[in-house]
Structures are given as structure tokens and as C-alpha cells.
Amino acid sequence: MKTLFERTQGLTDIPFHYCPGCTHGIIHRIIGEVLEELHLLENTVGVTGVGCAGFAEQYINVDFQGSAHGRAPAVATGIKRAHPELVVFTYQGDGDMVSIGLAEAVHAAARGEKITAFLVNNANYGMTGGQMAPTTLIGQKTATSPYGRQSEQSGFPLDLPVLISNLPGAAYVATVTVDTPQNVFKAKRAVRQAFKTQMDGLGFSLVQFLSTCPTNWGLTPVESIQWMQDNMFPVFRIGELKQPQ
Amino acid sequence: METMFMKGNEAVAEGALQAGCRLYFGYPITPSTEIIEYMAKHLPARGGTFVQSESEVAAIYMVFGAAGSGERVMTASSGLGISLMQEGLSYMAANELPAVLVNIMRTGPGLGGLGPMQGDYFQATKGGGHGDYSLLVLAPASVQEMADLTMTAFDLADEYRNPVLILADAALGQMMEPVTFGAREPKRYDKPWATTGAKGRKRNLVTSYNLQNEVGEQKSIYLEEKYRFIQERLQWAETYQTEDAEYVLVAYGTSARIAKGVVNALRENGVKAGLVRPITLWPFPSKVFTPLNERVKGYLVVEMSAGQMIEDVRLSTEGKVPVAFYRRQGGIVPQHDEILEEFAHAFSVGGILA
Amino acid sequence: MEQRVIVAGFGGQGVLFVGQLLGYSAMVKGLNATWIPSYGPEMRGGTANCSVKLGDEEIVSPFITRTTHLFAFNEPSLLRFLPSVEPDGVVLVNGSLIGADSLKNVSSLAVVVPALEIAEQLGTRNSWNMVMLGVYLQTQTLLNRENLKQGMGKMVGQKHPERIESNLQAISAGMKWMSEQGGFIPNEIVAARH
């Protein structure tokens, strides 16, 4: 009998605990599958930040270091500089990478650090209960923008990949979504391209995933997908923003 | 064997290289800059890796990453920068990551000035960051010790799987003395816990996430026992003329250099004085005080702070012996004559002023 | 025996270099030595100073309270550090910048050296501070010219042999000038009469 589908070795056997409709599970699986397909499971180290994304260390089946809020790119720098032969990636949420860890993220890219960064952007702080993030949309209600985000008070959403794609040290930058099977395949291609960029020693690579947070958005999983498509897709620039020359 | 005339900061850096330090991550700050400059110049030439980080926050996490991957790594800064590193140090202690860090203390609080001070003692020895943990803290008092204790620090870090802090001050960092480097092969420690890629073994996790209270308590008890074990084993101090001493000065680092001169002056004047110079500030060498407490008439603590180590001295004397105090602050070192005067005043010993 | 030397002057006068050279020279002779620069605002521009201790016994503190040798390269330095000089200490004065008026209150031996003039005669104007070192050599017994030569070699390496050579010439000129002053009389201002 021919095996048509197997669970990837790139994930551990621990069942995901994420909320229904959250896309962390899909993204974990994409990364796990690509690591397995590229034969990287035995020479990769992942680095998590803090928040829901911090749980990636339990599920993606490689060596992991758990760092503090925002510091994953610095930790990954330390690992990669100590062991250039390893593949090193970070897995952070938007509050983690775009707010408190902006300096570490931008400088890792500016140095052309040969690491791969994954940014899961769900437009709010998920684990702490849905507060405003730098990625929160204008008018979006959160626990700390109860009347909707006002630009006069809180500025504008920050699209980190656009910022980073301008840096010479960044070699591959993409923003993807996992809202449809077709887009999941596109996302997987981006993840593969990001790891290959690192393996070829070309510089910093970043993939942003636009993601949902049904629990904190107060929507069903299906409504969340619709809300993301209607509201986030026009704000964050989707596609490959920068490819190796 | 080679003897060089070096600044304390350079001796720290050279000591680290001779101890097999492979990576240095840091951010420039006076009065510690000779360390980062020496590393930038010499570490790559000797097969290592140097990165100037965007901040002290980033520096300590780069150290975290490299230490978690099993390599000998260090950073250095001055009080302000060390303050920024406290979060990372708490994480490193929680993850039992070995690394060496150096604080060339300047004056504080706030921006302060560039002169020597010892105001970071509490920060260094009482945790500094969040949670129950300790750094191992070594206090050199000469340029030779800046080198020697840095080399020792790498071994202690690996031995006990804990960050080790070299606590020195601007005077020790900037002063030059002859320093001798002997032939020394760095010790090698197995690090099966390090994240080096899960080849032929189960995957390694370096993490301090404990959302279950029961797991958290077990981890806390484990760390508590580890620290108690270190406290039992590692109490280092130099004792000078304490065998028959009736009065003992207590000081570390630069203050101890000055205090030693005061002890000599007191002896020349017929006063039986001695010196205890703590070398490990954590663990504090309380055991050294136990026999002295039975016969000493008084202790005089000399510090370049408002009075920080004196608390540990008082605890170590168990209230049995009076403890006097002399300090200068703000970048001014205690003067020889002033200490003599304070001694005479505190212990009513007349006729010792030259 | 312990020498407690303060070298003080403007930034750019080679204050730290002269002090470090004494430290290196003591080290190559097998003596103990400490060198420590000044702290505070005067580290940037303005005046600079460093303290050097040399001796055959353990040097406990690197800080100086009683000075045996003061190199005063400018007037503010002379006025600042004079009170710390021992009664039998030596004050080496840069006579090219400091007038005899400033020496009224000196109770130690003060040697006023026309350092710049001597260096100019050699054709190496910048080596005037080495002339001062040559004078210093004649006032003490711990270090000699050979020690300075070896110390300089250790300090600047073999990169600039011509610089070492011109420095040594200036040191010799300073030694010669001092020996021409009729020897070395404590508590007297030597050559202040010029």
C-alpha cells in the first residue's frame, strides 16, 4: 500500500494547544515540513520569543532556545556566530518582534545576520489578552484601544517587512497568508526560500505570516479569516518584497 | 611565560582569550572600552568571533545564544550597561548558562561619572534581575588578578553552569601593572545540554518557561540547592596579618589596595591590624570571619559606596564585634590618611597618626 | 625603596606616555610598578596627570599621597601637586612654560629645565619631555638610561626604531644638562636663576 500522507517528523508528538481557528498550528506544520524536506532537522536551532509564539519550542522538532520578549534575533545571532554551520531561525509574534524587539530585529537584518526570522502577525497581543500591538489596525478595538486605535494617539500600524526590505543586509523578505490552501502552498514556498537564502549564506531572511486571533478578536474562526482578508490584507503588503539578486 | 605592562581592562581581555573565550559581544562604554577594543583587535586574529551589538540588551542575549550553544563567551560593560543586561542575566541563570561578564564600575546612580566606585555591589551580589538567582561574583584587586580571575571565571562558569561576574572598578580597569601569563591549556567541559543540532540524540531545549506551578517549584528548589552547594564550596578571601590581629579592615578591589597600606601603617605604629579582602563577593566569604569574631576588637569596612558590603560583613560578624565604616563616593577613592583617622576615631586608638 | 612619581601637564604633552614609560622600564628591570591615570573632567582636554609607583617591594596602593618626584609640565600642574611633594622630594619643572615666580613656595629640590631649548638644539622639538626624563634619571638611583631604553623597546616595540633613537638622544641631553648644573643639592632651586 502506498503512503500518500504522513505527519511530518518536523513536529513533535505533543498535541497543539492553540485556540480554535488560530493559524499558529498551520505555520508550525509548514516550518516542520520544510525543515524535514530540506533534511535540516538534525542541524537546526530555533529560537522563540514570548507570548503564544513562545510555545513553538514545544512543537517544532529541533533544538530550541527560549529567549525573552523581543530578544530572539539577538539570541539567534549568538547561536549562528558560535555555530555558522547550523541553520538558525526565530519564531516571534508581532508584539514581540515589531514592538519590544524592533531594535534587535532591525539590527540583525542590518548586519545581514545569516538567520531566518518568522513573524506571526495577528494584529494584537494574544497571550496577554488582546491588547493593542504596533500592528493593530486604525480603528481596531483591543483591550488597550477600547475605542478603536486612533492614529493621533497611537500612531499607525507598522509593516516590518517593508521596513526591513530596504536594508542591504536583508536578502529575502516576504509576507504571506495561510487563509486558503493555495496561499498555504505559497507560504510554504516562501519558508523554503527563506531557509535556502540562509543556507546559501546570502544574508537575513524574513517571512511575515498574516494570522488570526479569533479569541481576542471576538469572532468565530471563519469570521476571523474573513476579517483578516477584509482588514489586514489591504494594510500589510503581501508577496515577496525582496529576493536574492 | 611572558610579563607585560598592561591596563586592567586589557588583562581581562587577554585572560579571556587565554581561557579559550571564542566569542565576544559588547557595546562600548567608558571606563570599560579597552576590553571591547582589545577583543575587536585580537579575537578574530585568534580564531574567535567579535560582534559589536546594537545595545547592552542585545549583547547579553547574543551571549545567551552562544552560551546555550556550548561556546565560551563573554561581554563587558560598566554599571549602566550592566543594568540593561539584568533581564538577560536572570534568563541565563534560569537556564544555567555559563558565561563571563565584567562590570568595570563607574559612579552612579543615573548617568554618573567616569571615576571608580563600588556602588554596584548590591546589584552584583543580590540577584540584580527578577527571580531567585545569584551570579558568582569575583573581585580582583590587581591587574594580575584581573587576568587570573577572568581565566578562573570561565572554569567556574562551566563547572557550576552559571554566569560569573568580574566586579572591578574604573581604577582597576585603567591602571597598569606588570602581569604574567603562564602556559595554560583551557579546561574542557562536556556540554551535552547545548543546542548544537539534534544529531544522534534527543533534541535539547534551553528554556525557562514554567507555566505549571509544581514544575516551577521543583526548578526553584533545584536552583536553591545548587546555590547552597556553591556557597559551601566557594568562599575565597585574602587574609593579611590577621593571625594576631586585634582590629581588621575589610575591603575589596581598589579599596582593599588602599586599606592594605593602612594596615601596614598601623602595624608600623604598633597596632595589631589586619585585612580581610573578599575575593568571592558571592558567595560572601563568611567562614573567614568565624574564627576572627572570637578575638577581634573591631572591624573597619572601607568601601567606595554608601555602604553595601558592610551589610554582609555585619551578617558575618553575627553582632559579636563592632563594625565601623569609612567610605568615599562619586569617583573619589578613600585616602590613606582619612582611613587612619577614621580608625583612630572609631576604636579610640590614639597616637597612630603620622 | 619606593618612588612615587606624578607626571602632570596639558593633554598632548606626553604626560601619560612619560608615566607609562617609567612603568615599563621598572618592569623590565624586575621592579614592581603601578601606573594610574587621573580621573574626572581633566581626562578630556585641559590638564592630564598620572601617578606611577616604582619599587622593589609590594606596591599596595596605586594612589599617591606623598610624592617623591613631580614632573610639572605646566603651571597649573605645579600648583596643584606641589603640596603633595615630600620635603626631600624632587620637582622637575618644564622651564620653557613655567616662570621662576611660580617656584617661590617650593621647599623641595626644584629643577627648572629649559627642556624645549635643549630639544630644539637636537632638532627634535617634540622630545622635550624625554629631556625631562633625562634630568630625572640624575636625581634618583632606581632607574638608569639602559632601563628606559629597554622599557621603550617593550612599550613601542620595534615598529619605530628611529623614534626610540631620537628619544634616547634627548634623554642623554637631559642627563648631560643636569650633570652640568654642578650636581644635585636638596632644597635648592637648581637653575632657577636663568
Side-chain angles (χ1 to χ4, degrees):
Chain A
M1 208 162 54
K2 193 180 170 195
T3 303
L4 292 175
F5 176 78
E6 267 187 328
R7 186 183 158 79
T8 173
Q9 294 297 306
L11 294 177
T12 62
D13 290 336
I14 305 167
F16 292 148
H17 72 288
Y18 296 111
C19 303
C22 169
T23 57
H24 268 306
I26 300 170
I27 300 164
H28 283 11
R29 184 176 138 191
I30 290 173
I31 294 171
E33 285 178 357
V34 171
L35 288 172
E36 185 185 18
E37 288 162 18
L38 294 175
H39 308 289
L40 293 176
L41 294 177
E42 292 187 336
N43 66 328
T44 294
V45 181
V47 184
T48 53
V50 166
C52 295
F55 287 111
E57 65 197 34
Q58 293 186 23
Y59 303 121
I60 301 175
N61 193 18
V62 293
D63 276 5
F64 255 99
Q65 292 194 19
S67 87
H69 204 34
R71 316 301 173 219
V75 172
T77 297
I79 300 168
K80 186 71 179 187
R81 296 292 185 127
H83 290 281
E85 76 282 5
L86 295 175
V87 168
V88 182
F89 73 90
T90 58
Y91 190 99
Q92 297 177 273
D94 46 311
D96 192 334
M97 189 172 190
V98 186
S99 188
I100 193 168
L102 189 69
E104 286 80 2
V106 170
H107 281 282
R111 283 192 305 269
E113 214 61 63
K114 296 175 186 71
I115 59 174
T116 299
F118 298 119
L119 166 60
V120 181
N121 174 1
N122 58 12
N124 79 131
Y125 286 89
M127 185 184 263
T128 42
Q131 293 82 17
M132 180 173 62
T135 45
T136 294
L137 307 180
I138 297 296
Q140 185 183 342
K141 287 183 180 174
T142 71
T144 52
S145 57
Y147 310 109
R149 180 176 183 168
Q150 305 295 319
S151 60
E152 301 80 42
Q153 189 193 348
S154 311
F156 299 89
L158 209 168
D159 194 356
L160 183 64
V162 172
L163 189 73
I164 283 193
S165 64
N166 291 314
L167 301 173
Y172 180 78
V173 181
T175 291
V176 298
T177 73
V178 289
D179 58 325
T180 63
Q182 193 191 10
N183 282 340
V184 168
F185 282 119
K186 275 192 192 168
K188 191 170 170 180
R189 277 201 295 277
V191 168
R192 187 180 291 116
Q193 193 58 47
F195 278 127
K196 281 190 165 165
T197 299
Q198 177 179 172
M199 291 158 74
D200 292 341
L202 300 176
F204 185 80
S205 49
L206 167 66
V207 178
Q208 169 177 246
F209 299 88
L210 298 185
S211 177
T212 58
C213 190
T215 303
N216 288 312
W217 291 355
L219 301 173
T220 67
V222 174
E223 289 167 349
S224 295
I225 296 282
Q226 189 66 49
W227 190 89
M228 173 175 70
Q229 291 167 340
D230 292 348
N231 298 286
M232 289 176 73
F233 284 15
V235 171
F236 298 101
R237 199 183 299 166
I238 295 168
E240 290 182 314
L241 307 183
K242 191 171 193 182
Q243 288 176 285
Q245 299 301 311
Chain B
M1 283 255 290
E2 193 184 356
T3 301
M4 293 186 259
F5 197 59
M6 275 184 141
K7 285 192 174 186
N9 282 339
E10 295 166 338
V12 162
E14 180 59 32
L17 290 174
Q18 302 220 3
C21 176
R22 301 269 303 131
L23 297 109
Y24 184 95
F25 304 99
Y27 188 83
I29 179 172
T30 308
S32 73
T33 41
E34 289 87 357
I35 300 176
I36 190 171
E37 289 173 3
Y38 195 96
M39 285 303 201
K41 187 173 179 188
H42 295 284
L43 185 53
R46 283 147 85 163
T49 299
F50 168 87
V51 177
Q52 180 167 329
S53 63
E54 62 270 29
S55 66
E56 288 92 345
V57 176
I60 196 65
Y61 282 100
M62 291 175 186
V63 169
F64 180 113
S69 287
E71 295 296 319
R72 283 197 159 179
V73 54
M74 85 174 232
T75 188
S77 190
S78 186
L80 304 73
I82 301 288
S83 292
L84 284 171
M85 294 182 185
Q86 292 304 325
E87 178 202 52
L89 289 168
S90 170
Y91 273 72
M92 290 184 69
N95 285 300
E96 299 192 83
L97 296 182
V100 174
L101 108 135
V102 184
N103 181 356
I104 304 297
M105 289 183 280
R106 58 189 253 185
T107 71
L111 187 54
L114 308 179
M117 204 166 154
Q118 296 179 320
D120 302 345
Y121 180 93
F122 284 155
Q123 183 198 56
T125 62
K126 311 293 176 191
H130 61 286
D132 264 336
Y133 75 94
S134 293
L135 303 176
L136 275 60
V137 184
L138 305 178
S142 66
V143 175
Q144 184 69 52
E145 276 193 353
M146 292 287 265
D148 292 346
L149 289 178
T150 301
M151 292 190 264
T152 302
F154 278 94
D155 289 342
L156 293 176
D158 281 340
E159 180 86 29
Y160 296 110
R161 284 193 60 186
N162 205 74
V164 179
L165 169 66
I166 304 287
L167 190 68
D169 60 64
L172 280 162
Q174 300 297 324
M175 72 185 271
M176 297 178 86
E177 286 183 307
V179 52
T180 304
F181 291 94
R184 188 179 185 283
E185 198 56 35
K187 280 193 206 167
R188 300 263 172 227
Y189 290 80
D190 282 340
K191 298 180 181 177
W193 45 266
T195 60
T196 53
K199 196 165 200 160
R201 59 159 169 78
K202 278 174 61 181
R203 74 193 189 104
N204 284 336
L205 277 180
V206 172
T207 186
S208 54
Y209 228 164
N210 288 315
L211 288 186
Q212 287 171 286
N213 294 340
E214 292 74 15
V215 176
E217 186 180 43
Q218 279 175 14
K219 174 77 181 286
S220 296
I221 290 171
Y222 165 78
L223 284 178
E224 185 187 340
E225 285 172 353
K226 169 173 131 172
Y227 289 129
R228 199 159 286 157
F229 177 74
I230 298 171
Q231 274 179 311
E232 273 306 306
R233 287 181 55 151
L234 203 69
Q235 295 194 17
W236 297 345
E238 177 195 355
T239 54
Y240 176 70
Q241 308 256 42
T242 54
E243 297 75 17
D244 63 342
E246 294 179 347
Y247 298 95
V248 170
L249 278 72
V250 189
Y252 70 98
T254 292
S255 302
R257 294 287 292 262
I258 303 161
K260 201 173 197 177
V262 173
V263 168
N264 289 342
L266 288 167
R267 285 270 169 183
E268 280 165 22
N269 285 280
V271 179
K272 288 183 177 172
L275 172 72
V276 170
R277 175 174 72 88
I279 296 171
T280 54
L281 298 182
W282 196 95
F284 190 76
S286 298
K287 288 178 183 175
V288 173
F289 292 84
T290 312
L292 297 177
N293 292 340
E294 304 306 321
R295 57 180 165 79
V296 164
K297 292 181 186 166
Y299 291 102
L300 173 62
V301 177
V302 181
E303 290 187 68
M304 283 143 48
S305 79
Q308 300 193 9
M309 184 183 71
I310 190 171
E311 294 193 0
D312 285 328
V313 175
R314 285 207 179 103
L315 286 170
S316 303
T317 54
E318 300 164 327
K320 292 175 178 170
V321 184
V323 180
F325 183 55
Y326 189 74
R327 87 279 179 263
R328 292 298 297 266
Q329 300 176 81
I332 296 177
V333 297
Q335 303 292 305
H336 178 93
D337 293 350
E338 298 167 355
I339 301 171
L340 269 177
E341 209 169 309
E342 179 62 31
F343 183 93
H345 171 74
F347 302 122
S348 306
V349 182
I352 55 168
L353 293 174
Chain C
M1 194 206 288
E2 186 179 83
Q3 272 184 28
R4 300 178 292 278
V5 185
I6 289 179
V7 187
F10 291 124
Q13 285 186 313
V15 167
L16 305 184
F17 181 85
V18 167
Q20 286 186 7
L21 179 54
L22 290 173
Y24 274 96
S25 305
M27 182 187 73
V28 294
K29 199 191 172 184
L31 299 172
N32 290 316
T34 62
W35 173 93
I36 190 162
S38 72
Y39 284 95
E42 66 268 23
M43 278 182 80
R44 300 276 180 275
T47 59
N49 72 78
C50 61
S51 305
V52 189
K53 283 191 175 181
L54 327 166
D56 43 17
E57 284 168 29
E58 180 192 4
I59 296 167
V60 285
S61 166
F63 302 104
I64 293 175
T65 41
R66 293 175 190 86
T67 308
T68 63
H69 293 76
L70 169 63
F71 284 86
F73 286 175
N74 64 12
E75 194 165 322
S77 302
L78 177 73
L79 299 177
R80 177 173 168 193
F81 291 105
L82 202 52
S84 77
V85 179
E86 298 264 32
D88 58 350
V90 178
V91 184
L92 298 148
V93 177
N94 175 10
S96 308
L97 272 189
I98 302 173
D101 285 357
S102 309
L103 297 162
K104 280 189 298 228
N105 298 322
V106 180
S107 55
S108 315
L109 169 71
V111 187
V112 182
V113 186
L116 198 58
E117 290 81 345
I118 297 172
E120 276 173 341
Q121 280 167 18
L122 294 172
T124 51
R125 196 181 151 84
N126 287 336
S127 67
W128 64 268
N129 50 20
M130 294 293 118
V131 174
M132 299 287 293
L133 267 179
V135 174
Y136 152 85
L137 285 181
Q138 302 286 54
T139 67
Q140 51 80 58
T141 54
L142 218 45
L143 296 177
N144 59 33
R145 186 177 178 277
E146 184 58 25
N147 301 141
L148 289 191
K149 182 183 176 184
Q150 287 181 10
M152 221 180 300
K154 185 94 177 167
M155 187 176 171
V156 304
Q158 299 311 312
K159 276 182 291 184
H160 304 289
E162 74 294 341
R163 211 175 115 197
I164 293 180
E165 198 41 52
S166 78
N167 280 346
L168 287 170
Q169 277 174 15
I171 287 168
S172 297
M175 292 172 74
K176 180 163 170 285
W177 177 85
M178 185 59 188
S179 62
E180 286 166 5
Q181 304 309 309
F184 148 46
I185 311 145
N187 300 316
E188 188 175 319
I189 299 174
V190 178
R193 51 193 176 270
H194 86 285

